[in-house]
């Protein structure tokens, strides 16, 4: 078999495995949107079976043989070529997958379904003990996974690499250390300014039907293709890709909290725009049709949610739509008050509702707790107390109950330990990309004020989306901006907002 023939067979095999995985994605989406409660047990077995079948097929010796033969020819010579990028990334995933037993993969999948169902109940009751046994089991499984994969000194590295390839806990710690004190100091100065954003404006009664209409309109305006996607309701908003031209986003609405639903839709739309911009028609199931990393993925969602969606220019265009949609609820409001309200900064308990300035402190809390859990410094039963202590230390807040504390995020029920750092890294990537887009595209504010979002989206498609996994995250950033990942652009953005709204 020639290298070209081997490569053709390799990509055929990997595409078919990806089809199996896409079925799992569809089942996962259904679980979090429409699955009846009593269907959980059967769904767990479905997902476990699919996970084992996919794992066994991907780790089969045939894949290794095809990889070896593919690498032997010219296809892998040019490191940035389509074939070389696909071969490199498939090999990386293949080597990791072969370190993990199929039985562990199956049990992780099964446990995730049951744990997620238990989390929903526990959160609704604000009762950690309902979730505790499942978190305990998930921790043991993830420690086992880390041992199977291997690591130099920190088991966290083995899990972080799934979401942000090449990153380590030490590297993330160094990055966080570089701007943690700046965040704390800026938050202190804002609080001491004495200025209070009129957040009560967002807590009036906003009928959910109109919220949904406006959120859909915003998603469509910035570029989401509803003929290639959906928007549905769930408890914890997310975006998932089922296949080419099938990208689904979810949200939640609260009639007394306009910002929660609207900005979660913009956030998930940012993820979806990335997915819809990847070359999936040509490369679905292959690395070139997939996102580089979740840090880069998060940069897209945070950019559209915050750098675009909370800008004055965006609301020059969209505020009249809100006024028209909610009539007397907002007709007497000024755009200035509205902007101040949606750019409010204050320490708060819920990560997904946190402002841009304090948000990364929430991420740092989770990063430290996850490492401690994985290293066995404490067990699941100790999580509420450890969580509450961290929140007090970082944000100066007292946690009133588990629902507003350690049960607020769904991630641990899915086994997504190592995931949280990507949120903070995404903020930094977003700020650096956005500064470069301003230089390359022109006056983005003038464009947004007229409802012209296509120029920014086109820039993102050209500079980021179309490359798939051709480059590593930091290599792509360097190619686009000429810089390595740092917090300077992000802090400039926060400090500008602090001057504009709080005079500090």
């Amino acid at each position: 078999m020639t290298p070209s023939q081997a490569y053709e067979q390799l990509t055929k095999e990997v595409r078919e495995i990806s089809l199996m995985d896409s079925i799992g994605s569809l089942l996962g989406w259904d679980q979090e949107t429409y699955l009846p409660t009593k269907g959980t047990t059967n769904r767990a077995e479905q997902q476990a079976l699919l996970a084992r079948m996919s794992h066994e097929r991907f780790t089969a010796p045939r894949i290794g043989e095809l990889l070896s033969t593919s690498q032997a020819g010219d296809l892998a010579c040019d490191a940035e070529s389509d074939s070389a990028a696909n071969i490199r990334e498939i090999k990386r995933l293949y080597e990791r997958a072969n370190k993990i037993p199929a039985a562990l993969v199956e049990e992780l999948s099964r446990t995730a379904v049951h744990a997620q169902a238990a989390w929903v109940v526990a959160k609704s009751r604000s009762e950690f003990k309902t979730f505790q046994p499942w978190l305990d089991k998930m921790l043991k499984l993830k420690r086992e996974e880390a041992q199977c994969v291997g690591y130099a000194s920190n088991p966290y590295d083995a899990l972080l690499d799934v979401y942000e390839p090449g990153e380590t806990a030490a590297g993330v710690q160094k990055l966080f250390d570089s701007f943690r004190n700046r965040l704390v100091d800026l938050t202190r100065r804002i609080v001491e300014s004495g200025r209070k954003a009129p957040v009560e404006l967002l807590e009036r009664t906003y009928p959910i039907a109109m919220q949904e209409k406006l959120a859909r309109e915003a998603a469509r305006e910035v570029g989401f293709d509803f003929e290639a996607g959906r928007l549905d309701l769930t408890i914890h908003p997310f975006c998932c890709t089922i296949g080419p031209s099938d990208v689904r986003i979810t949200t939640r609405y609260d009639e007394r909290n306009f910002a929660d639903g609207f900005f979660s839709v913009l956030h998930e739309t940012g993820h979806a725009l990335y997915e819809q911009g990847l070359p999936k028609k040509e490369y679905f199931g292959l690395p070139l049709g997939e996102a580089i990393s979740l840090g880069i993925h998060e940069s897209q969602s945070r950019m559209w949610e915050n750098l675009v969606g909370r800008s004055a220019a965006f609301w020059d265009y969209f505020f009249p739509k809100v006024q028209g949609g909610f009539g007397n609820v907002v007709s007497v409001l000024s755009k200035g008050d509205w902007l101040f309200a949606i750019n409010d900064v204050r320490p708060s308990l819920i990560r997904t509702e946190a402002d841009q300035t304090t948000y990364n402190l929430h991420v740092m809390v989770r990063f430290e707790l996850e490492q401690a859990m994985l290293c066995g410094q404490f067990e699941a039963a100790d999580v509420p107390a450890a969580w509450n202590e961290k929140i007090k230390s970082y944000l100066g807040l007292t946690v009133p109950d588990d629902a507003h504390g350690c049960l607020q995020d769904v991630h641990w029920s899915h086994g997504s330990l190592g995931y949280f750092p990507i949120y903070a890294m995404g903020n930094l990537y977003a700020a650096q990309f956005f500064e470069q887009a301003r230089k390359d595209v022109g006056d983005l504010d003038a464009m947004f004020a007229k409802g012209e979002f296509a120029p920014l989206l086109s820039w993102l498609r050209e500079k980021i989306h179309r490359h798939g996994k051709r480059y590593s995250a930091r290599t792509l950033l360097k190619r686009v901006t000429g810089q390595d990942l740092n917090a300077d652009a992000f802090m400039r953005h926060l400090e500008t907002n602090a001057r504009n709204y709080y005079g500090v």
Side-chain angles (χ1 to χ4, degrees), residues 48-356:
L49 176 62
L50 277 170
R52 177 173 60 79
M53 292 170 62
S54 174
H55 181 79
E56 288 178 344
R57 186 167 177 184
F58 186 59
T59 56
R62 173 172 168 75
I63 299 295
E65 294 164 3
L66 292 172
L67 273 168
S68 295
T69 305
S70 298
Q71 287 180 291
D74 295 337
L75 293 172
C77 290
D78 180 358
E80 294 184 4
S81 70
D82 291 4
S83 56
N86 280 329
I87 291 169
R88 180 192 69 236
E89 290 301 309
I90 292 170
K91 181 182 179 182
R92 184 179 67 82
L93 294 173
Y94 173 77
E95 290 177 346
R96 179 188 176 90
N98 264 287
K99 295 175 182 178
I100 306 174
L104 177 56
V105 171
E106 184 174 6
E107 188 57 28
L108 278 165
S109 180
R110 179 182 293 110
T111 299
V113 176
H114 287 296
Q116 196 268 342
W119 170 80
V120 170
V121 174
K123 185 179 180 184
S124 68
R125 297 175 180 172
S126 191
E127 183 180 85
F128 179 76
K129 67 180 182 180
T130 300
F131 179 57
Q132 179 183 320
W134 291 105
L135 178 57
D136 186 58
K137 183 173 183 179
M138 185 60 77
L139 275 173
K140 291 176 181 176
L141 292 172
K142 298 305 286 188
R143 288 170 186 154
E144 184 179 347
E145 179 184 340
Q147 290 295 328
C148 291
V149 172
Y151 51 89
S153 59
N154 190 334
Y156 198 81
D157 293 348
L159 305 182
L160 174 63
D161 189 69
V162 174
Y163 309 110
E164 204 64 20
E167 294 292 344
T168 63
V172 172
Q173 189 69 62
K174 183 178 179 180
L175 188 65
F176 286 178
D177 289 347
S178 73
F179 72 109
R180 180 189 294 103
N181 290 341
R182 295 165 70 185
L183 282 178
V184 172
D185 178 66
L186 182 59
T187 302
R188 177 191 57 78
R189 287 188 281 123
I190 288 171
V191 171
E192 292 178 355
S193 74
R195 295 188 184 181
K196 302 292 184 183
V199 293
E200 65 277 3
L201 303 182
L202 304 173
E203 298 167 354
R204 297 178 177 183
T205 300
Y206 292 90
I208 288 175
M210 181 53 66
Q211 284 195 53
E212 182 176 14
K213 181 177 182 295
L214 287 170
R216 284 179 177 274
E217 183 174 353
R220 185 178 291 107
E221 291 270 9
V222 300
F224 182 67
D225 181 359
F226 275 95
E227 293 185 358
R230 292 179 55 91
L231 171 58
D232 294 277
L233 298 178
T234 191
I235 294 175
H236 193 101
F238 66 95
C239 168
C240 73
T241 297
I242 309 302
S245 300
D246 188 356
V247 179
R248 307 187 183 196
I249 57 177
T250 64
T251 192
R252 62 191 175 204
Y253 298 105
D254 180 345
E255 69 173 13
R256 300 304 297 271
N257 186 346
F258 174 85
D260 189 26
F262 188 85
F263 288 106
S264 74
V265 169
L266 278 182
H267 181 96
E268 301 307 333
T269 296
H271 283 303
L273 292 176
Y274 187 9
E275 289 293 317
Q276 291 183 337
L278 290 165
K280 288 189 178 295
K281 290 182 180 178
E282 305 95 315
Y283 293 113
F284 176 69
L286 299 177
L288 284 183
E290 297 173 352
I292 297 169
S293 74
L294 290 187
I296 297 296
H297 224 308
E298 189 67 13
S299 76
Q300 305 304 284
S301 60
R302 301 296 282 181
M303 184 183 298
W304 287 102
E305 175 193 0
N306 292 326
L307 303 181
V308 178
R310 295 182 193 271
S311 69
F314 178 89
W315 289 100
D316 282 342
Y317 177 70
F318 216 82
F319 190 60
K321 297 177 183 292
V322 171
Q323 289 179 307
F326 292 107
N328 293 335
V329 178
V330 295
S331 61
V332 297
L333 301 184
S334 72
K335 183 165 68 71
D337 285 342
W338 182 266
L339 283 168
F340 194 6
I342 63 172
N343 284 285
D344 171 48
V345 175
R346 70 182 72 189
S348 59
L349 291 166
I350 306 299
R351 175 187 63 85
T352 56
E353 299 173 7
D355 60 80
Q356 299 176 70

Side-chain angles (χ1 to χ4, degrees), residues 436-485:
Q436 190 63 43
R438 285 190 182 280
K439 297 175 184 176
D440 293 348
V441 180
D443 191 346
L444 290 176
D445 288 334
M447 297 174 194
F448 297 162
K450 295 184 289 186
E452 296 173 359
F453 304 103
L456 174 60
L457 181 57
S458 295
W459 185 88
L460 293 170
R461 293 262 157 91
E462 171 67 20
K463 299 293 186 179
I464 300 170
H465 302 177
R466 71 182 179 92
H467 293 298
K469 288 187 174 180
R470 191 182 308 277
Y471 309 109
S472 69
R474 295 209 184 203
T475 298
L476 178 75
L477 179 69
K478 196 77 175 282
R479 287 177 63 90
V480 175
T481 69
Q483 303 174 10
D484 193 9
L485 184 62

